[in-house]
Amino acid sequence: MSEAVTSGPSPVEYIQHHLQNNSIGEGFFTLHLDTFFIALALAVLLGVIGKIVGDNLDPDKPTGLQNLLEVIFEFVEQQVKDAFSGYNPLIGPLAFTVFVWVFLMNAMDLLPVDLLPWLASLVGIHYLKVVPTANLDTPLALASSVFALMICYNIKIKGPIGFIKMFLFHPFPANNIIVKIILMPVNILMTTIEEVAKPVSMGLRLFGNMFAGELIFILIAIMPWWIQFIPGGLWAIFHVLIISLQAFIFMLLTIVYLSIAHQPLEADH
């Protein structure tokens, strides 16, 4: 996907350079500037496009962009109808935003490996990792936001007492009060693991697939330029399916988990 490195850094150094974030801070307080600003720029781009299309809606003569967004919106709306029980006006727009935003961040992988880092080097930026979702922070942050909504809706629908009961009496309910008390520590542990596993699995799944895809593009870029095009082109075509599928899975899990959070306590298990 880019001109191979024939001089200068070794293949290992080349790979390490492309996997290095432009960061400030240390440890837990490290801020990956490239991940943050690229994700922010794509969010702003999505908002601007939505604003432009929304201000120029024409049901009689829709533009190509309007048609595309309507197709995506109808697709997402159908997923919400199929997977979400009950009604919440937030779920549809949230699912649409998650799907399109994650897709755009994933799609940064389709740009030539050296293009944006080279442009960044012209203004003195020596490290630039261009795929936000190939950095663990972004998928886990998105999944944590969904997790926060899950907690909020669990408390709202079930009530504070019902939310506590969910941890005390599930997944192993019992009729005998003594058995209930005995099982409480096990239920708390199992329910906590179950709930925490949801955002963790969401984030790790997205990160793992996108990191692997980015690494393969970098490995292809190490090849001589005259043989890059065939494997690079084939992988790019296949990768379009991966980035679309990962955006779809993340959106669908968001819908499903929020649907579970909207169910009364008796219907949870």
Side-chain angles (χ1 to χ4, degrees), residues 67 79 96 159 164 173 183 188 205 216-217 269:
N67 282 328
Q79 305 309 311
F96 177 83
I164 295 173
L183 288 176
I188 292 173
R205 180 187 292 106
I216 291 176
F217 276 125
H269 297 273

Side-chain angles (χ1 to χ4, degrees), residues 5-21:
V5 179
T6 57
S7 62
S10 67
V12 173
E13 292 171 336
Y14 179 79
I15 293 172
Q16 291 176 340
H17 181 271
H18 278 278
L19 295 179
Q20 178 68 43
N21 285 102

Side-chain angles (χ1 to χ4, degrees), residues 184-248:
M184 279 183 185
V186 178
N187 284 333
I188 292 173
L189 177 62
M190 295 297 293
T191 304
T192 300
I193 293 174
E194 178 186 356
E195 293 301 308
V196 172
K198 292 175 181 177
V200 172
S201 63
M202 285 179 70
L204 291 180
R205 180 187 292 106
L206 178 58
F207 163 72
N209 280 275
M210 298 315 303
F211 182 83
E214 182 184 35
L215 185 58
I216 291 176
F217 276 125
I218 295 173
L219 293 175
I220 292 173
I222 297 174
M223 299 178 181
W225 66 268
W226 46 273
I227 63 173
Q228 287 182 25
F229 298 103
I230 294 178
L234 292 175
W235 178 245
I237 294 172
F238 179 71
H239 201 59
V240 170
L241 299 177
I242 294 177
I243 64 177
S244 303
L245 181 61
Q246 291 306 311
F248 170 75

